[in-house]
Structures are given as C-alpha cells and as structure tokens.
Amino acid sequence: MRTPTAGVGATAVVVAAARAAENRRPDRLFHDPLAERFLAEACKQSTLEAVEVVRHPMEHYFAIRTRFFDDSLRRARAQGCRQVAVLGAGLDTRAFRLDWPPGTRVFEADLPEVFAFKEPVIEAAGAEPTCDRIVVATDLAADWEAALLRAGLDPGLPTAWLIEGVLCYLPDKADDGVLAGVTRLSAPGSRMAGEHVSHRVFTDPVARPMLDALESVGAPWLSGVEDIGAWLGASGWHSETVDLTDPAVHHGRITPVDRRRIAAGPTRGWIFQAWN
Ligand SMILES: C[S@@+](CC[C@H](N)C(=O)[O-])C[C@H]1O[C@@H](n2cnc3c(N)ncnc32)[C@H](O)[C@@H]1O
C-alpha cells in the first residue's frame, strides 16, 4: 500500500485530511471516522507537507462541500434513487457513512493507485459498507463508461451521480467527456451533484498560491468552464448552483469577512446540482 503523495491521487489525501479535522470537532457537520484512518496511514508514510499547504486554506470549504453533497445524496435516496455513482471518489466514505436502503448500489470510480491505498485501510479498519459498494478502477479521461457498465451500472435505472472535486483535474476536454458519458448513462429521473471551476480562476491572483501548491504536488487544475449552467444545459441538464454565503450552506464556517469577499469577488467555481 503506497500513499498517493504526488499526482492527482494526493488530492484525495488532502480532502481526507480536511474531513478528519472536521470529524474531530464537537460541532462536526458529518461523522467520518475512516478519514482519520486514511490520514493516520498516510502520515506513517510521508510528512505530507505539500498536502498540508493545499488543505489548510481550504479546510472549511471541504467540510461545507462534503455536508452539502451528503444532503444532496440523502435527498436522492428519499426520492427512491437506489443507484449512486461517485466519479473521482478518492477517499470518499459515503458508502459507509450514509444510511442506504437495502438494495442500494454505490459505484466508486477512481484511478487504480487510489484504491491500492484505500482498500487495505478500509479492510484493516474492519469497516462494512451500508450498501452494495462496487469499486471501479478506471481513468475518467479514458474508457470509464465501459468500465462502469462492466462493473454492473444499470443505465436503465435513475442514477445519482456525485462528481466532487475532480473535473478540474481532467485534461484535454475530458471534463466534457465525463459530462457526455454521464448524460448517456442517465435514465430519466437521474440527478447529478458536483463541482467545477471557472476559466477565470486560472488568471485570478487570489487563487494563484493554491494553484501553485497543487502544481507542486503534481496535481494542476487543467479544466474549467465559462458558465456552469450553460455547460450543463447544453447537455440537457437543469441545474442550480450553491450560494456559499447562504447560512444553510456555510453553517457558520465561513467568516463574515470571507463571505463579503466571496460575494464581491469573481466566480472561481461552482457547487451544483442538476436534473435530467
Ligand atoms: C480532490 S480529490 C476528490 C476525491 C473525492 N471526490 C472527495 O471529495 O473526497 C480528486 C480525485 O479525483 C481523482 N482523479 C483525478 N483525475 C482522475 C482521472 N483521470 N480518472 C479517475 N480519477 C481521477 C483523483 O485520483 C482523486 O481521488
């Protein structure tokens, strides 16, 4: 088992570290004990200095984002969705942390090196999924659709897609490829929750230190879109974006100063939900 301390896989450790920190708070927004296990294992193998540079300024954002997507999946569950696909799953533990009705299948797709680290930690923790969890080692810039179908994803059933923190890492229009694939595999009644970045972030001086830190761990952001609603809409998805200054979303984790900065600054990215 090797910790992905460089390359895009390292970014999964960044998010797990943020979730572990959230898990230790008395007012935590979610319970994620496995995040602690991932972090402990990663720390055994490396000092994770570069990972920390990225995590520190983003910690509250990752917590807010995680809670928002938890709630989004709970809504899909309440509406009867029993097929979930998490693309770029990283060290996501929703297959263990959320209560899934019997018969729910949760597919997790990510690069093989991420699962080479993740699976032994889960096994050592003795954690049991609350659903039928299916791991799909695949590259979202290549033939991931076929891999999901081979793994048993049923395109005749509505799917709840989760695409959290991954589209920006995909090269050469592979973000468009993911959207096209998700659209093809989505039966009526499917929904998508995810995140993408704006083209503007690449020239934004405020974002530059974080982009540099990501480049230093070999995980540069490569893709962005001009307008998320238009991007999703062109593929037939109705969408809404999240307002981080909404108390129901930020749970008091973003300071009033930062909220004003977010409201006044350029759009750097979007958390979205979409329906077909
Ligand atoms: C920032 S992490 C987010 C992980 C997870 N969604 C979460 O929020 O915990 C980005 C993830 O995208 C995955 N990823 C990046 N490029 C990928 C690709 N081409 N194919 C599959 N997964 C990829 C990385 O391996 C990493 O696990």
Side-chain angles (χ1 to χ4, degrees), residues 9-40 48 51-52 54-71 73-74 86-98 108-110 114 117-118 122 133 162-166 169 193-195 253 271:
T11 65
V13 179
V14 172
V15 182
R19 292 191 181 128
E22 181 67 22
N23 193 56
R24 289 191 288 270
R25 288 178 65 122
D27 61 345
R28 60 189 169 210
L29 299 177
F30 49 82
H31 185 48
D32 193 350
L34 277 174
E36 303 266 15
R37 303 289 292 241
F38 294 132
L39 182 62
L48 300 183
V51 165
E52 277 302 285
V54 183
R55 178 194 64 85
H56 186 66
M58 298 285 282
E59 187 165 292
H60 293 309
Y61 175 73
F62 289 139
I64 291 166
R65 181 179 95 177
T66 300
R67 173 57 182 270
F68 179 81
F69 289 134
D70 283 2
D71 290 343
L73 287 174
R74 288 187 181 106
V86 187
L87 302 185
L91 303 176
D92 182 307
T93 59
R94 292 180 174 95
F96 300 84
R97 311 191 274 109
L98 302 186
E108 293 185 11
D110 207 303
V114 170
F117 172 74
K118 183 177 189 177
I122 290 172
R133 173 176 180 259
L162 177 59
I163 312 173
E164 179 181 14
V166 58
Y169 295 104
E195 187 193 34
R253 294 301 166 80
I271 291 174

